[in-house]
Amino acid sequence: MTARLPDPVVDALDTAARQLRRSRADVIRLAVEHYLEDFDDLSVAIDRLRDPSDPMLDWDRVRRELLDTD
């Protein structure tokens, strides 16, 4: 796989790799893995928000109920 990155991104990548004592490839792999995990989480959240059968909670009601409990 090949990717072109702007010089400032390459500089930041090199700095991170040096500080983490890892290779550029390791840092890129970790970054992509984290990005994809976040993407999966966001995709699930969006699917749930778009699901009309999934009940919506009224924030004001929930907050009142939480604050009214002892």
Side-chain angles (χ1 to χ4, degrees):
M1 173 189 281
T2 302
R4 291 192 175 272
L5 301 171
D7 289 339
V9 174
V10 173
D11 293 340
L13 175 61
D14 287 340
T15 299
R18 194 170 39 257
Q19 289 178 359
L20 295 168
R21 294 189 173 132
R22 294 186 178 250
S23 67
R24 277 184 181 175
D26 285 339
V27 174
I28 292 169
R29 181 183 50 76
L30 289 169
V32 170
E33 286 174 0
H34 286 280
Y35 177 86
L36 293 175
E37 287 172 9
D38 289 345
F39 181 80
D40 287 342
D41 291 343
L42 287 172
S43 295
V44 168
I46 289 170
D47 287 344
R48 287 183 180 164
L49 286 172
R50 290 183 178 157
D51 182 359
S53 68
D54 193 16
M56 295 283 277
L57 298 175
D58 180 275
W59 168 243
D60 290 326
R61 181 177 165 211
V62 170
R63 186 170 53 93
R64 276 192 311 272
E65 289 175 2
L66 287 171
L67 293 175
D68 288 342
T69 59
D70 290 331

